[in-house]
Amino acid sequence: QVQLAESGGGLVQAGGSLKLSCTTSGVIFSTKAMAWYRQAPGEARELVATISSTGNTDYKHYAKGRFTISRDNAKNTVYLEMNDLKPEDTAVYYCNSGHMRGIYYYADRSWGQGTQVTVSS
């Protein structure tokens, strides 16, 4: 059974930084692509960033230059470092394991509980 546990969220002022972590179990982590999603109140869950099993990364346009996704296969952990945070980044952030087909990420069904990020203006 796949389990994902996100942590690192919190309340931060605009312009601040946070680093989210997601530890996984029940999968062969090094073979999986990983992703971060977020869901703001009243909005659909959206893909923020992906990292392939070989370390290739991709970002939603608003995350480019501000967010960095990385992974540590020895720790079965994926990270999302977020800088220059804006109030519109306020959301629950979720990680997900999946796989890549070309440039497209396909999410597996399992989700963690998410971690709340709140950015005050």
Side-chain angles (χ1 to χ4, degrees):
Q1 182 179 357
V2 179
Q3 292 186 324
L4 305 106
E6 302 94 340
S7 61
L11 173 63
V12 64
Q13 289 188 330
S17 299
L18 284 172
K19 187 173 183 177
L20 309 183
S21 300
C22 171
T23 302
T24 70
S25 61
V27 294
I28 303 175
F29 182 80
S30 62
T31 69
K32 305 295 288 186
M34 298 296 297
W36 284 96
Y37 286 74
R38 70 185 188 184
Q39 187 167 19
E43 302 288 333
R45 192 171 297 185
E46 62 177 0
L47 182 63
V48 177
T50 63
I51 184 166
S52 72
S53 60
T54 57
N56 293 323
T57 60
D58 196 16
Y59 299 90
K60 196 85 171 194
H61 64 89
Y62 54 74
K64 289 182 179 179
R66 297 192 300 129
F67 295 2
T68 302
I69 187 170
S70 61
R71 63 190 298 157
D72 185 337
N73 289 343
K75 296 182 178 180
N76 288 357
T77 301
V78 62
Y79 304 97
L80 186 67
E81 184 168 5
M82 304 185 294
N83 298 311
D84 189 24
L85 283 161
K86 307 176 186 300
E88 51 264 42
D89 294 318
T90 295
V92 179
Y93 284 72
Y94 300 88
C95 71
N96 178 266
S97 66
H99 61 278
M100 303 296 298
R101 289 183 189 171
I103 63 171
Y104 298 103
Y105 177 82
Y106 289 82
D108 291 343
R109 293 182 179 182
S110 298
W111 297 91
Q113 81 288 350
T115 186
Q116 176 71 48
V117 172
T118 303
V119 185
S120 63
S121 57

